[in-house]
Amino acid sequence: MNFFRPQDRLLIAGLAVALIVVFARQEMILIDRARDVERTSGLGLLPALLILVVVFLFHQQGKRQEARARAAAAEAGASAAELRAVEMERLVTFGQALGRSLDIDAIRDVLLAHLPKLAGTEDAWVMVRTERQWQALAGAAHENRAAVERSREHLADRVLNSEIRAVTDPVSMEGHLCVPMTAGGLAVGVLGVPDAAGPFTESRRRALAATATLLGISLRNVLLFQELREHSLRDGLTGCFNRAHGLEVIDIELRRARRSQAPVSLIMFDLDHFKAINDRHGHLCGDAVLKAVGARMHEVLRASDLKCRYGGEEFLVLLPETPLEGAKRVADTLRRELSELSIHWKAETLALTASLGVTTALTSEIDSQAIIARADAALYRAKEYGRNCVQVAAEVAVA
Ligand code: GH3
Ligand code: MG
Ligand code: MG
């Protein structure tokens, strides 16, 4: 047990030595004839006093050093606490901003504003994995951006596929400190900071891990929200937009086309004698046919073309930036592709055809109901003409 501090122990030892010098000096200088002189003059006290003075000075210095050390430690403690408070404040503001973000673009903006401070560098980057595709969310602009993003993609892939996948701790890899972003046990992406922006102290690593955790949770929520929204807007059988959403998008596209003065066309088609397929092979078979039609539409048409299941086996295809001639070609291709579909059902191979009506938006036209009605009328004529054909709406055919 230590009852005394080092310098106090030194003082006590000094006192003990001084006492020994005063009282034992008699024996030490027994042979010295000056004993009497010393005894009477008290000269033996001098070295004792000297020792005491020296020890006392050491003692005082020790105390001063200790006081200085205590003051420095208090100061360091205060500034560390201040730093922690600033860091915490940053994380809280970051979390709040993320909480207000409902889509990936909003998260991108939040990162632009907050990430440099949180990561302590402008060179931090974020790669997020959406439906097996990588997307760069943050990272300083580079001249060869595509190449930089590809290499980060590769690195992020390695980080998430390595055995540390389940762990959120930062890992050093290929000259970067990489922090996996996970939520609910699922890997969402990677937050990276180049080693050049180091050193990575324990507290900085902790701050980066916290940043990645907040980001991971927000991204996961946004992706789930997007997925949910997508599902609620699409028809499960064909993967096309459902009627309500399709009509909404047609309205938006018509307004956009009017603003940009770009042509926009519409195809409406209906499967021929579909009822007979249901009657002969059952509804499940009818569903399989609809599924195959949806899949073929996605293969044949552009991603930017709006595909909508308008009714049972009636579809709308809106073609942005496409004049009537182009739309007619698309309709012909679609008709041919559908007629070449061979659908295997039990032991049979079913054939299928469709009738199509085509129209285009008249100058500055934004009335979706009028355009749909024209396409519908053209489709009706295609049925009349014997099905498996394309008809152009009368109003635009002459134009
Ligand atoms: P037409 O060539 O004149 O179009 O003849 P059709 O037999 O296709 O006639 P119609 O368009 O009136 O028939 C539509 C049929 O589509 C009737 C309905 O039972 C069927 N149908 C609608 N939605 C679905 C669905 O989701 N699944 C299945 N299996 N059948 C559906
Ligand atoms: Mg039909
Ligand atoms: Mg029909």
Side-chain angles (χ1 to χ4, degrees):
M1 278 211 283
N2 278 329
F3 290 110
F4 303 105
R5 288 172 301 170
Q7 69 266 29
D8 292 339
R9 280 200 295 261
L10 188 64
L11 185 64
I12 289 160
L15 268 169
V17 172
L19 284 172
I20 288 167
V21 169
V22 170
F23 293 108
R25 196 149 181 90
Q26 290 170 3
E27 275 73 40
M28 282 165 66
I29 53 172
L30 257 181
I31 42 160
D32 195 334
R33 294 218 349 248
R35 192 183 61 177
D36 292 340
V37 180
E38 281 186 330
R39 196 187 299 142
T40 51
S41 66
L43 267 180
L45 285 175
L46 198 60
L49 278 174
L50 270 173
I51 290 169
L52 269 181
V53 167
V54 169
V55 166
F56 182 71
L57 287 176
F58 268 117
H59 178 252
Q60 289 303 98
Q61 194 189 357
K63 274 177 84 169
R64 271 199 300 275
Q65 271 176 356
E66 193 181 79
R68 270 202 299 274
R70 253 203 314 271
E75 203 174 299
S79 59
E82 253 168 50
L83 266 178
R84 269 199 299 277
V86 170
E87 211 165 72
M88 190 59 78
E89 181 64 31
R90 273 186 196 143
L91 280 169
V92 168
T93 338
F94 179 57
Q96 285 169 336
L98 285 176
R100 289 189 294 270
S101 309
L102 288 179
D103 56 35
I104 294 261
D105 284 339
I107 291 189
R108 202 192 296 276
D109 290 344
V110 171
L111 282 173
L112 202 67
H114 294 256
L115 191 59
K117 281 226 171 79
L118 284 164
T121 171
E122 293 278 341
D123 292 329
W125 50 266
V126 172
M127 295 295 292
V128 58
R129 193 164 57 179
T130 54
E131 288 169 14
R132 310 228 148 263
Q133 266 192 340
W134 283 101
Q135 209 178 319
L137 272 199
H142 283 266
E143 262 175 45
N144 48 349
R145 193 189 188 99
V148 169
E149 277 175 12
R150 246 195 326 277
S151 79
R152 283 177 186 164
E153 196 178 301
H154 175 73
L155 176 57
D157 233 353
R158 275 195 60 204
V159 171
L160 295 192
N161 289 328
S162 65
E163 59 275 24
I164 56 102
R165 193 174 55 191
V167 184
T168 47
D169 283 346
V171 57
S172 284
M173 217 181 252
E174 295 178 22
H176 296 257
L177 186 76
C178 301
V179 196
M181 304 186 304
T182 60
L186 284 167
V188 189
V190 172
L191 160 67
V193 183
D195 282 348
F200 302 110
T201 56
E202 194 46 43
S203 72
R204 204 165 158 208
R205 278 169 179 259
R206 269 206 314 271
L208 285 170
T211 305
T213 302
L214 284 174
L215 200 48
I217 295 168
S218 295
L219 281 167
R220 182 93 196 110
N221 282 343
V222 160
L223 295 177
L224 280 176
F225 180 64
Q226 260 179 13
E227 216 172 280
L228 211 68
R229 205 175 119 80
E230 271 287 293
H231 278 301
S232 72
L233 303 178
R234 286 186 192 275
D235 157 56
L237 204 54
T238 61
C240 294
F241 283 149
N242 61 32
R243 180 185 176 116
H245 184 60
L247 292 179
E248 221 174 87
V249 179
I250 289 177
D251 275 335
I252 294 169
E253 284 299 329
L254 287 177
R255 281 179 170 71
R256 195 205 306 274
R258 184 169 71 168
R259 276 198 306 278
S260 64
Q261 291 292 300
V264 55
S265 299
L266 183 74
I267 300 172
M268 187 180 210
F269 71 90
D270 179 288
L271 304 185
D272 297 331
H273 303 303
F274 189 67
K275 204 169 168 303
I277 295 179
N278 271 333
D279 291 347
R280 202 171 306 146
H281 304 281
H283 263 75
L284 279 182
C285 174
D287 285 357
V289 172
L290 286 169
K291 197 171 170 188
V293 169
R296 186 50 58 97
M297 282 171 77
H298 282 86
E299 283 161 13
V300 173
L301 299 164
R302 287 182 190 162
S304 56
D305 296 336
L306 166 108
K307 305 150 198 87
C308 165
R309 186 175 175 197
Y310 189 61
E313 29 76 272
E314 276 172 38
F315 296 83
L316 286 176
V317 181
L318 187 83
L319 309 158
E321 292 177 26
T322 312
L324 184 65
E325 267 315 296
K328 199 175 170 304
R329 273 200 302 276
V330 174
D332 280 331
T333 308
L334 197 55
R335 185 204 59 77
R336 195 189 62 242
E337 289 282 342
L338 291 177
S339 69
E340 286 169 4
L341 259 185
S342 43
I343 298 145
H344 304 285
W345 183 255
K346 301 202 171 145
E348 288 189 60
T349 302
L350 311 177
L352 175 85
T353 59
S355 304
L356 303 88
V358 185
T359 189
T360 195
L362 304 170
T363 317
S364 297
E365 187 180 32
I366 52 163
D367 182 353
S368 57
Q369 289 306 317
I371 296 173
I372 292 171
R374 283 206 301 278
D376 195 13
L379 160 62
Y380 187 76
R381 270 198 293 125
K383 292 278 184 194
E384 279 187 335
Y385 279 156
R387 298 178 171 80
N388 191 20
C389 65
V390 175
Q391 284 297 308
V392 174
E395 297 86 338
V396 294
V398 226

